[in-house]
Amino acid sequence: MPVTIYDIAKEARVSIATVSRVLNNSSVVSEKTRLRVKKVMEQLNYTPNVIASALTKKSTLTLGLLIPDIANPFFAELARGVEDASSDFGFNIIICNTDYSSDKEATYISLLKQKSIDGFIISSAYYNDQNVVKLLKANVPLVLLGRDIDDSEGLPVDVVGSDNVKGGYIATKYLIDLGHKNIACLLGPPRIKVNLEREKGYLKAMEEAGLKVCPEAVGYGDFKIDFGFKKTLEILKGPCKSTAIFAANDLTAIGAMRAIKFLGLQVPNDISVVGYDNTVLAEMVDPPLTTVNQQMRKMGYIATELLIKRIKGERGVGEKIILDTELVIRKSAGICNGK
Amino acid sequence: MPVTIYDIAKEARVSIATVSRVLNNSSVVSEKTRLRVKKVMEQLNYTPNVIASALTKKSTLTLGLLIPDIANPFFAELARGVEDASSDFGFNIIICNTDYSSDKEATYISLLKQKSIDGFIISSAYYNDQNVVKLLKANVPLVLLGRDIDDSEGLPVDVVGSDNVKGGYIATKYLIDLGHKNIACLLGPPRIKVNLEREKGYLKAMEEAGLKVCPEAVGYGDFKIDFGFKKTLEILKGPCKSTAIFAANDLTAIGAMRAIKFLGLQVPNDISVVGYDNTVLAEMVDPPLTTVNQQMRKMGYIATELLIKRIKGERGVGEKIILDTELVIRKSAGICNGK
DNA sequence: CTGAAAGCGCTAACAA
DNA sequence: TTGTTAGCGCTTTCAG
C-alpha cells in the first residue's frame, strides 16, 4: 500500500539499486538520473522505510536514554539536552525511567537491544553498575551522563559529567567565607559516585579552613525532599550546632529549608542552605536557593554528540568530559550569626 | 554474528517456522518441542530482532510522544504517565519536543512514520492542528493528550483531557467566595483549546455571581512566567482594581506572584492568586500556590492505554475521556481585603 | 554509471 | 504439529 523503492524504480525507469543509491546520496549516480529519481519520489510522495534499511544497515538512528525519573526536573533538563542533540543529528530517543532500580535498568536494556538501537545514554548508573559493564563488554556504544562508574574492569568508557569535587568545594567554601564553622552535609546515595566526589569537595574545604566536621552532621540519603527534611531535623536537634547546610542536590536542600522553617527558624538568618544542580526549583523556593550550577542541558547535548560520533566511528572510546561548575548565589545563605 | 532463529532451529533440530512459532506463543506447537526450543534459546542467549519482525508484522511496539517541552514540569509529568503505561504494556516511547512549533511537529511526525511507530500521543496540538488532521485522514492511530482540536473534519478522535470548564469555574468561584469581585484572568495561547474552556469556566462563575469582568483584566499569553509577570504589572497599574488573579497555568501564576511582590504588595493579603495544573512548582513557591489539580500522570497513563487498545484493534476510535479536576487549596489566595 | 541478485531476520500462508 | 517457501523494503556486492 505505501510506496516503495520498487514503485519509484518503475516510474523512473531505473533499477531499485539506483533508487537506493540516490536515497543514500551515493556519489556514483549521474546527476541526470538522480534528479529524475528525486522528482518521482516527490511526485509519489515517497518516504523511505527506516525499518527495512535498519535490517541490513544495522542502524536505526535511535538512541536509548536511561534515567531514573523524567518527572525529576534534573533529569528532565538532561533529557532536553539529549533530545536537542538527537534531533540536530537526525536521531530520535527512547526514554526509559528506571526508578533507581538495576532490574528495571536491565530489562530496558535488553528490550532496547532487541530494537537495535544504535547506542545508550545512561544517567542511572551506580558506581559499579553491572548492566553498564556488560554493555561495555559487548562493545555496545554508550556514554555515561552525569554519572560515572568505578569499576569498568579496564574497559574504556565515555563519560560526560561535571566537576563534583569542585562543586562541593565552592559550595562549602562559600559558607565558610560567610563565617560558618559548623557546616552540615547532606548527600545522596553513596552508590552514586558524584556524592562521594561532592563530599570530597566538602571535606577539602573544611580541612583547608581548619574546621572539623561533626560526624552526626554528615549523612547519605536518597536525593529526595523528605530525606532533607528529616535529616535536617535530626541534625538541628543533635549536638552539632550547625549553622549551615550543604545539600548535594536541590531537592534535599529544599527539604532542609522546610525543616528549618518547621522548627520556627529562618533561612538564611538562622541557618544557611546551599543546594546543588540549579534546577528550576531553585529559583522558585523561598528564599531562592543558592546552589551549584550544573549545566544539565549542555551535558545532555554533549553526551549525545559524543555518542553519535562514536556510533559513526569518528572517534575512539574512553573520553571523559567534565564541564565546569559554578555557584549561583541567591538568598538562602547568609552571614553566620551563630557562634 | 548475533544468534538468529536459524541458529536456534539448527541446534533444536526444527525449522525456523517452529522457532518463530514459539517466539510468538503460537498455540500449535507441541509442549515438547516448545520446551526444547526454549532451552536452546536460553543456551545460545538468543534475543529476537524486533526490527526484522517489524518488517513483516508492521508493528514496532514503539509509540511517539509529541510534547512542546519535556523540561516543562507539566509535560514531564504527562510523559511519566505515558512511559509508565508503555512500559506496562511492553511498548517504548520516543519523545519529541516541538517547542510549540507546527513545523517541528510536522517534521517529527514524518520522521516517526518512517520509523514505523505504532501510534502517536500528541500533547502539542492546536485547536485546528493540520498535522493531526492529516494523521487522522491517513488513519494513523493517535490520541490527543491534554489537548483537543476543534475541527477534525468529521473524523473521530480519541481525546484524554480534563474538565477545563469546571477547572476555570471552581478556581474563580473559590475567589468569589473569598469575597473578591474584581478578578483578573490570565490565559495561555487561544490557539490551545483548553484556554478557551478555562476562560469559559471563569466567565460562567463571574456571571453567576453577578460580577462584571473588566476587559483589561483578561488576557491571552504564552503560558510562561514572563507573561504572568508583565500582564500582572499591567493589570495592577490599570483601571481594573483587581484583587485576585486566576491564571490558566502554574507558571503564569508564579509570574503573577512575582509581579505582585515586585510592586511591594503581598500574596495573598493584597492580591490573591490561583493557578492551574498543580505541578511540583506549586508547592515550592512562596506562598504555596492554590491551584487546580489536573491528574497529569493519570491522564498520560490512560491516554496510552487507550492508544494501545486501539492499535491492538480492541476498540474503535472517537472516545473522549475527561478526568475530573479539583482545587488544591494552599496559601496563595485569601479573603478579600480590598473594596 | 547502472542493473541483477543475494541477503538482513523474521512472519505467514500453504503443504505435508 | 511441523516444514517449505515466499516475501517485508532496502542495501550491497559483483558484473557489465
Side-chain angles (χ1 to χ4, degrees):
Chain A
M1 152 81 233
V3 14
T4 72
I5 49 172
Y6 284 92
D7 305 313
I8 306 295
K10 188 183 294 175
E11 190 69 18
R13 310 190 144 277
V14 294
S15 73
I16 59 164
T18 299
V19 178
S20 176
R21 286 190 190 103
V22 345
L23 230 38
N24 294 283
N25 294 310
S26 165
S27 50
V28 294
V29 179
S30 80
E31 206 47 30
K32 205 176 133 207
T33 51
R34 174 191 308 282
L35 252 47
R36 183 148 43 89
V37 172
K38 286 223 165 185
K39 210 173 115 200
V40 174
M41 286 183 183
E42 290 236 328
Q43 282 169 359
L44 301 193
N45 196 14
Y46 170 73
T47 120
N49 182 327
V50 177
I51 298 295
S53 82
L55 197 53
T56 43
K57 285 215 287 201
K58 268 104 185 65
S59 155
T60 49
L61 299 178
T62 304
L63 270 21
L65 173 62
L66 267 37
I67 52 178
D69 181 12
I70 192 68
N72 175 326
F74 174 73
F75 295 108
E77 201 62 44
L78 284 180
R80 188 46 150 106
V82 170
E83 209 279 313
D84 284 350
S86 299
S87 166
D88 285 353
F89 294 101
F91 282 71
N92 286 118
I93 97 174
I94 292 180
I95 291 188
C96 308
N97 298 113
T98 65
D99 285 321
Y100 297 97
S101 149
S102 279
D103 285 352
K104 281 193 86 175
E105 189 179 86
T107 307
Y108 274 121
I109 288 174
S110 123
L111 238 147
L112 294 190
K113 274 169 117 178
Q114 293 181 22
K115 294 198 178 171
S116 308
I117 64 163
D118 296 337
F120 288 90
I121 295 154
I122 303 183
S123 284
S124 58
Y126 296 121
Y127 76 95
N128 67 346
D129 199 305
Q130 285 312 302
N131 294 323
V132 172
V133 173
K134 255 182 226 160
L135 286 174
L136 251 24
K137 280 184 180 161
N139 203 26
V140 175
L142 74 82
V143 33
L144 263 24
L145 172 56
R147 292 286 183 268
D148 199 352
I149 60 175
D150 242 26
D151 173 24
S152 61
E153 304 191 7
L155 298 162
V157 209
D158 284 331
V159 178
V160 175
S162 64
D163 192 339
N164 292 296
V165 178
K166 177 182 168 191
Y169 179 83
I170 56 177
T172 312
K173 181 74 163 46
Y174 177 70
L175 289 168
I176 293 171
D177 289 347
L178 287 171
H180 295 278
K181 298 197 184 326
N182 297 303
I183 302 172
C185 180
L186 308 187
L187 299 154
R191 298 199 298 160
I192 298 177
K193 200 177 169 189
V194 298
N195 290 301
L196 273 22
E197 297 171 346
R198 288 171 200 172
E199 180 179 25
K200 202 169 173 185
Y202 160 81
L203 294 173
K204 184 176 159 214
M206 294 294 277
E207 191 178 343
E208 266 185 27
L211 298 173
K212 55 177 182 299
V213 337
C214 178
E216 288 92 342
V218 178
Y220 292 104
D222 60 4
F223 268 155
K224 293 188 180 158
I225 290 184
D226 201 47
F227 163 71
F229 184 85
K230 287 183 178 151
K231 187 70 187 175
T232 299
L233 245 38
E234 205 180 303
I235 290 173
L236 294 183
K237 288 174 175 168
C240 291
K241 315 251 176 245
S242 305
T243 59
I245 296 172
F246 163 52
N249 79 340
D250 287 346
L251 288 173
T252 305
I254 288 167
M257 283 179 33
R258 287 189 184 170
I260 293 164
K261 287 186 192 173
F262 179 78
L263 292 175
L265 300 171
Q266 287 193 331
V267 181
N269 292 344
D270 297 306
I271 312 281
S272 289
V273 176
V274 173
Y276 206 106
D277 286 345
N278 193 27
T279 55
V280 242
L281 305 180
E283 49 169 334
M284 296 291 169
V285 291
D286 176 66
L289 186 65
T290 292
T291 187
V292 176
N293 183 49
Q294 291 205 73
Q295 309 172 58
M296 295 156 308
R297 208 173 274 221
K298 190 172 175 189
M299 280 167 59
Y301 197 97
I302 290 178
T304 308
E305 264 186 321
L306 203 64
L307 178 60
I308 291 174
K309 277 188 189 153
R310 162 97 158 74
I311 289 167
K312 292 186 176 165
E314 289 174 17
R315 40 172 293 286
V317 71
E319 197 158 337
K320 297 225 185 299
I321 297 182
I322 304 301
L323 299 194
D324 196 23
T325 231
E326 65 187 354
L327 194 67
V328 177
I329 296 174
R330 295 205 179 88
K331 311 269 187 187
S332 64
I335 289 170
C336 178
N337 297 317
K339 49 268 85 164
Chain B
M1 158 79 234
V3 14
T4 73
I5 49 172
Y6 285 92
D7 304 314
I8 306 297
K10 188 183 293 175
E11 190 69 19
R13 309 188 145 279
V14 294
S15 73
I16 58 165
T18 300
V19 179
S20 175
R21 286 188 191 103
V22 347
L23 229 40
N24 294 284
N25 294 312
S26 163
S27 49
V28 294
V29 179
S30 81
E31 205 49 30
K32 204 177 133 206
T33 51
R34 177 193 306 284
L35 251 46
R36 184 151 40 90
V37 171
K38 286 220 165 188
K39 211 174 111 198
V40 174
M41 286 185 186
E42 290 235 330
Q43 282 169 358
L44 301 193
N45 196 13
Y46 169 74
T47 122
N49 181 325
V50 177
I51 298 295
S53 83
L55 197 53
T56 43
K57 285 215 288 202
K58 268 106 185 64
S59 156
T60 50
L61 298 179
T62 304
L63 271 21
L65 172 63
L66 266 36
I67 52 177
D69 181 13
I70 191 69
N72 176 327
F74 174 73
F75 295 108
E77 201 61 44
L78 284 180
R80 187 47 149 103
V82 169
E83 210 279 313
D84 283 351
S86 300
S87 166
D88 285 353
F89 294 101
F91 281 71
N92 286 117
I93 97 175
I94 293 181
I95 290 188
C96 308
N97 298 114
T98 65
D99 286 321
Y100 297 97
S101 148
S102 279
D103 286 352
K104 281 193 88 175
E105 189 179 84
T107 307
Y108 274 121
I109 288 174
S110 120
L111 239 150
L112 293 190
K113 274 169 116 178
Q114 293 180 21
K115 295 199 177 171
S116 310
I117 64 163
D118 295 336
F120 288 90
I121 296 155
I122 303 184
S123 285
S124 59
Y126 295 121
Y127 75 94
N128 68 346
D129 199 305
Q130 285 312 302
N131 294 323
V132 172
V133 173
K134 253 182 228 160
L135 287 173
L136 252 22
K137 280 184 181 162
N139 205 26
V140 175
L142 74 83
V143 34
L144 297 176
L145 172 55
R147 291 287 184 267
D148 199 351
I149 60 174
D150 242 28
D151 175 26
S152 62
E153 303 191 9
L155 299 163
V157 209
D158 284 331
V159 178
V160 175
S162 64
D163 193 338
N164 291 297
V165 177
K166 178 182 168 191
Y169 179 83
I170 56 178
T172 311
K173 181 75 162 47
Y174 177 69
L175 289 169
I176 292 170
D177 289 347
L178 286 171
H180 295 278
K181 300 199 182 325
N182 297 303
I183 303 172
C185 179
L186 308 188
L187 299 154
R191 299 198 298 159
I192 298 175
K193 199 177 168 189
V194 297
N195 290 301
L196 274 22
E197 297 170 347
R198 288 171 200 171
E199 181 179 22
K200 202 168 172 184
Y202 161 80
L203 292 174
K204 185 177 159 212
M206 293 295 276
E207 191 177 344
E208 263 184 29
L211 298 173
K212 56 177 181 300
V213 336
C214 178
E216 287 90 344
V218 178
Y220 291 105
D222 60 4
F223 268 153
K224 294 190 180 155
I225 290 184
D226 201 47
F227 163 71
F229 184 84
K230 286 183 180 152
K231 188 69 188 176
T232 300
L233 243 39
E234 205 180 301
I235 290 173
L236 295 184
K237 287 174 177 170
C240 292
K241 315 250 176 245
S242 306
T243 59
I245 296 173
F246 163 52
N249 79 338
D250 287 348
L251 288 173
T252 305
I254 288 167
M257 281 176 40
R258 286 190 183 169
I260 293 164
K261 288 186 192 173
F262 179 79
L263 292 175
L265 301 171
Q266 288 193 329
V267 180
N269 292 344
D270 298 305
I271 313 281
S272 290
V273 176
V274 173
Y276 206 107
D277 286 346
N278 193 27
T279 56
V280 243
L281 304 180
E283 49 169 332
M284 296 293 168
V285 290
D286 176 65
L289 186 65
T290 293
T291 187
V292 176
N293 182 48
Q294 291 204 73
Q295 309 173 58
M296 296 157 305
R297 207 173 275 220
K298 190 171 175 189
M299 278 166 59
Y301 196 97
I302 290 179
T304 308
E305 264 186 323
L306 204 63
L307 178 60
I308 291 174
K309 276 187 190 155
R310 162 96 156 75
I311 289 167
K312 293 185 176 165
E314 289 172 18
R315 41 172 291 286
V317 70
E319 199 160 334
K320 298 227 183 297
I321 297 182
I322 304 301
L323 298 194
D324 197 22
T325 230
E326 64 186 356
L327 194 66
V328 177
I329 296 173
R330 295 204 179 88
K331 311 269 188 187
S332 65
I335 289 170
C336 179
N337 297 318
K339 46 281 62 169

